[in-house]
Structure formats: C-alpha cells, structure tokens
Amino acid sequence: MTDDKPEHDQAGQKADNSATPWKIATAILAVLVVAGAAVFSQRSQTGSPQTVPAATVTVTVSGAGESLMPADPGAAAESPAADAAPTPGSREEFLLSLARRQEGDPLAKGRVDAPVVMTEWADYRCPFCSVFGEETLPQLQPLIDDGTLRVEFRDLAIFGDESVNAAAGARAAGNQGLFWEFQLALYKELPNNGHPPVSDDLVVKIARQVGVSDMARFEADYRSEETRALVTKDTEEAKQLGVNSTPTFVVGSQVVQGAQPVDVFQKVIAEEKDKAA
C-alpha cells in the first residue's frame, strides 16, 4: 500500500495523537481476541527526523488502558470474547511472546537467550528508521555484547516497491552474513528526510560496498520471489498486529514508538532486564 502512510510532525512524533503506543499495544492484543480485525489505516509520513523528540513515549503494557478496540468496529459485536478486556498479565505475556529467538536468524543480533529482546519494525525508506539505525542502535551495542539485549528486525515495507527492494537487498546480504552491515550502509547512503528512492543499482552498489563475496548468488536472492515473499509476510504480519508506523519497537513487554533518544531505550531495557531476573 503506497497511498496511505504514517504522518509525523516536525519533531518526529506522529501527527495523529490517537496512535499512541498503548493503543498500538492494545491493538496488537486485539488480534488475539478478534481474528483478522487489526488492520489499521496508514497516513502520509512527512517531515525531517533531524530533531528527535525528547519525550518518552514508552508504555508498560501491564499498565495500559482498558480500551480494546479492534480496527473493524463490527468485529467486536461478532465476537463474544471481545466484550472482556484482557488482563494486564495477558498483555505482557503476549508482547513477550512476539520474540522469535531463532538460532541463526540473520535478521537478529545478540544471544538467543538474552533476557531482553527488542523487536523493531522498520522501512528502509523511513527517515526515522535511518536515524535509529545510524545513531541509536550502535550505542546499544554494549548491551548486545554483554548478553543483555537481543535485537530482532522485521520488515514493515509501507512506502512502495522500492521499500521492498531495500528489504530484499538486506535479506540477500543476510544470506551471506552481512544483513546488519548492508542495513547500516544503506541507511548512511540515503538522506534522512523524505522517502528516498532505492533502485536496483543502489542495492547492488551497497552489496559490493559491504563486501558481499558471491554477487551472483546475491543478485539471484535479491530478485527471487521467495525473498520478496518473506518481506511481504513480515509486513502483513505487522499490519495484522496493528503496527502501522515506523519505527515501532517492542522491548520485552513495553512498546516504544519513534526514533527516541538512546537513554529512553536504555531505561526500558534496564526495566525489562530487572523483570526477567
């Protein structure tokens, strides 16, 4: 879907305050209650990410609001289970269950048994995702190195076919152990404003730049229907979960939305580590 995209104001926050993180968290949980009901509208994402919002927009899901509104207003009436809001414990357990913890996952970094898993949904043409990838994620590397944090990336390709190009390129590089290197190099190549184009030539250029050794295999993987189907699968799953803006993170049992300052992530990670102890 390329016509409807998330909107942001000049501070990098979503312009529509209705899409606050706790509502995303409860919308995620609504998928458990009302099958197929969580497909949110997407709005046009504009503005520059160079001013990162200082406000914390995290939520401990166990303390989230009681409202549980499926995307389809008629779905609640069709499902008796929707009448009862899920317990705080079930919200927290559900968000924790989103971590895949798959050994050898090329789109993940950090120990598979790390106490805290951060799942990121992003689009490579999203400038706020680029800010996170270039500036914030490297600062979290010490927590990955000491075994505290595992990061699992998932595609949310919402800005058209060229977003799929970028995601397919990263996955093709990942097949040769260079997913994260490709991702960072692509983010650095693209301007951190608007939704810059990602052509086939650029994808190949970045692959060569990061040292992909088997370019024939890379190009075959990049263009394969299987690779692109994996991008689509992650994107559709995100929409079904109610994730409708990029970047969005689930850190343990908390939701963080937007390219927040590193101290926001460090605080949430510390809280989640204490819970897991």
Side-chain angles (χ1 to χ4, degrees):
M1 297 174 60
T2 58
D3 295 331
D4 301 320
K5 306 161 189 172
E7 287 185 359
H8 292 76
D9 61 19
Q10 292 181 350
Q13 297 265 28
K14 290 199 67 179
D16 182 356
N17 292 330
S18 66
T20 54
W22 73 261
K23 287 188 178 180
I24 289 178
T26 53
I28 288 173
L29 194 56
V31 176
L32 282 182
V33 180
V34 184
V39 178
F40 283 178
S41 63
Q42 299 170 355
R43 305 171 182 87
S44 174
Q45 183 175 359
T46 59
S48 169
Q50 299 192 6
T51 303
V52 177
T56 300
V57 291
T58 62
V59 58
T60 302
V61 176
S62 60
E66 294 302 316
S67 173
L68 191 65
M69 183 67 70
D72 177 1
E78 296 169 5
S79 173
D83 294 337
T87 64
S90 66
R91 292 190 185 103
E92 184 167 314
E93 289 165 8
F94 178 67
L95 291 180
L96 287 169
S97 77
L98 293 177
R100 291 174 177 168
R101 295 186 182 271
Q102 295 174 349
E103 194 72 55
D105 181 357
L107 276 64
K109 61 166 68 179
R111 290 177 48 168
V112 73
D113 61 349
V116 183
V117 175
M118 177 169 72
T119 302
E120 175 191 6
W121 285 269
D123 184 310
Y124 291 94
R125 300 176 67 207
C126 158
F128 305 102
C129 301
S130 183
V131 168
F132 176 81
E134 290 182 62
E135 300 177 10
T136 307
L137 184 57
Q139 296 181 72
L140 298 177
Q141 190 62 44
L143 294 172
I144 297 170
D145 293 340
D146 72 12
T148 298
L149 178 66
R150 176 176 174 85
V151 179
E152 298 183 353
F153 182 88
R154 301 192 196 178
D155 291 305
L156 179 49
I158 55 178
F159 298 120
D161 291 342
E162 293 186 50
S163 294
V164 177
N165 283 350
R171 286 176 178 266
N175 290 343
Q176 298 188 50
L178 291 169
F179 173 82
W180 296 101
E181 290 83 355
F182 184 98
Q183 181 184 94
L184 180 58
L186 181 58
Y187 278 147
K188 287 183 175 180
E189 179 76 16
L190 299 174
N192 288 348
N193 56 76
H195 308 298
V198 179
S199 65
D200 292 342
D201 288 345
L202 177 58
V203 169
V204 171
K205 172 187 170 181
I206 297 298
R208 294 187 187 280
Q209 180 179 317
V210 300
V212 170
S213 58
D214 188 340
M215 286 302 299
R217 178 189 174 193
F218 173 85
E219 293 211 39
D221 288 346
Y222 166 60
R223 298 179 189 282
S224 77
E225 290 299 321
E226 181 180 358
T227 300
R228 289 162 189 267
L230 290 172
V231 176
T232 300
K233 181 179 179 181
D234 264 7
T235 299
E236 291 305 314
E237 179 186 76
K239 293 176 183 178
Q240 289 169 1
L241 291 172
V243 180
N244 71 325
S245 66
T246 57
T248 293
F249 308 85
V250 169
V251 186
S253 63
Q254 300 192 48
V255 176
V256 179
Q257 193 175 17
Q260 297 300 312
V262 67
D263 60 319
V264 169
F265 289 96
Q266 290 168 335
K267 178 178 182 291
V268 176
I269 292 164
E271 292 171 355
E272 293 299 307
K273 182 182 179 181
D274 288 345
K275 289 181 190 177

